Amino acid sequence: MLSKQKNVPMKCKYLINPKYEHLTHFIHNVPESFENDGLLIYDSRNKVRIYTVKGERIVVKQFRIPYFHQRFDYTFVRPSKAKRAYTYGLQLLERGISTPEPIACVEEFHFGLFRQGYLVTTCCVDPDLRVIRDEPDGHDDLIEALAHFLVEMHEKGFLHGDTNLSNFLYREDKSSPTGYHITTIDIIRSVWIAHPPRQQCLANLMRQTHIRPLLRSLVERYAQLRGWDAEESVQTVLRLLNQFEKRKQFLNHLKQK
């Protein structure tokens, strides 16, 4: 395969979910076709496009080119973001936790050094749970569903790396005990810990939202489901959030000097 940069040799490594081997041709062309094909739905540090291939809606996420030390790291030390996202997604599904199904991971290498990664998954068009932040009244049922989902994740040893409400999608599901099906996305910075301790679980809830009344409602219900003291749990999370915000303000102040 020829590189997008003239005269620079490029090699690609592919991890393809056996269930989607019929998409091999599309997957092998992802690095060359990404900038010109598909519908661009997100463009920031990373880019996300939606495609329709053989009647299937597919999402491709292009991770930004990392700094040189990160390129070295992803070549010789640890898996790239794309590979981690692919692996974590399969692990979540194996444990019964909903996330878009990983189809493939594509890694570009230039002169033997990692350059860029792509994650290919199934497409989930469900809205995200920022609705309970933006429309604060009348969403107790969604708070209940999210609390159950977070408890399930933690009890199965998964600590999401960014529990922002935008990373949890929902749809009505009458077969679910809560009436909703929750799906999680953007799982790269997550960790697996068998039987995570209470303090670590509560810390993982801290970045759900900065709106205190909403965070209180969510943590209270989470704690009740786990049989923990609700008020003590709320105070722990609020204290952690206050510390996080003060540290962030301090760092922003330093940057402005």
Side-chain angles (χ1 to χ4, degrees):
M1 184 182 296
L2 297 178
S3 169
K4 290 172 282 189
Q5 298 181 16
K6 194 174 181 180
N7 299 324
V8 178
M10 180 181 80
K11 292 182 64 176
C12 287
K13 291 183 179 179
Y14 305 92
L15 282 175
I16 301 177
N17 186 333
K19 181 178 174 181
Y20 294 95
E21 287 183 349
H22 61 286
L23 299 176
T24 295
H25 178 74
F26 169 80
I27 294 165
H28 279 230
N29 283 316
V30 162
E32 290 294 329
S33 66
F34 184 84
E35 293 299 335
N36 300 313
D37 297 338
L39 174 64
L40 183 66
I41 61 170
Y42 183 81
D43 186 0
S44 186
R45 288 176 53 194
N46 308 311
K47 294 182 180 180
V48 180
R49 291 183 180 272
I50 293 180
Y51 301 78
T52 300
V53 184
K54 296 185 177 181
E56 299 181 59
R57 295 192 74 187
I58 292 171
V59 171
V60 179
K61 181 174 185 177
Q62 179 196 62
F63 295 92
R64 69 169 178 81
I65 297 175
Y67 298 114
F68 181 80
H69 71 277
Q70 293 172 314
R71 294 177 62 189
F72 185 90
D73 191 29
Y74 295 156
T75 304
F76 302 108
V77 180
R78 61 179 178 141
S80 68
K81 289 183 177 181
K83 190 171 184 179
R84 274 178 280 158
Y86 176 84
T87 302
Y88 287 177
L90 292 177
Q91 291 173 338
L92 281 176
L93 293 175
E94 287 174 359
R95 290 163 172 79
I97 300 172
S98 180
T99 194
E101 186 172 15
I103 293 174
C105 160
V106 182
E107 295 179 309
E108 282 185 21
F109 291 81
H110 284 195
F111 293 114
L113 195 65
F114 178 88
R115 180 179 181 272
Q116 193 163 38
Y118 302 82
L119 174 69
V120 186
T121 71
T122 55
C123 181
C124 179
V125 296
D126 297 341
D128 65 58
L129 279 167
R130 283 178 292 186
V131 64
I132 65 177
R133 179 200 69 190
D134 300 335
E135 302 173 11
D137 298 324
H139 291 298
D140 291 346
D141 53 348
L142 285 176
I143 293 174
E144 177 78 9
L146 179 57
H148 276 267
F149 186 79
L150 292 167
V151 168
E152 180 184 13
M153 282 200 316
H154 289 171
E155 289 183 340
K156 291 181 177 180
F158 183 73
L159 295 176
H160 199 295
D162 183 1
T163 55
N164 187 290
L165 292 172
S166 64
N167 288 329
F168 297 90
L169 315 179
Y170 73 97
R171 68 172 183 269
E172 291 188 12
D173 181 1
K174 294 182 179 179
S175 67
S176 169
T178 64
Y180 290 94
H181 180 90
I182 308 293
T183 296
T184 188
I185 59 174
D186 199 7
I187 57 177
I188 302 167
R189 293 179 294 277
S190 306
V191 294
W192 292 96
I193 300 176
H195 312 295
R198 176 179 175 276
Q199 184 75 9
Q200 200 160 10
C201 290
L202 292 176
N204 194 235
L205 303 179
M206 179 259 295
R207 293 181 64 182
Q208 286 273 292
T209 176
H210 292 262
I211 299 174
R212 268 58 176 181
L214 175 55
L215 186 60
R216 168 178 281 276
S217 297
L218 180 60
V219 175
E220 280 181 349
R221 188 60 188 126
Y222 174 94
Q224 291 165 359
L225 290 170
R226 303 212 66 176
W228 298 345
D229 184 287
E231 184 58 28
E232 183 183 343
S233 297
V234 168
Q235 293 306 317
T236 296
V237 174
L238 292 179
R239 183 177 68 253
L240 292 170
L241 180 58
N242 289 337
Q243 292 171 353
F244 171 79
E245 290 178 341
K246 288 179 181 178
R247 184 168 60 251
K248 191 171 183 180
Q249 289 173 1
F250 175 72
L251 292 175
N252 287 338
H253 179 70
L254 290 180
K255 289 179 181 178
Q256 293 171 4
K257 287 188 174 182

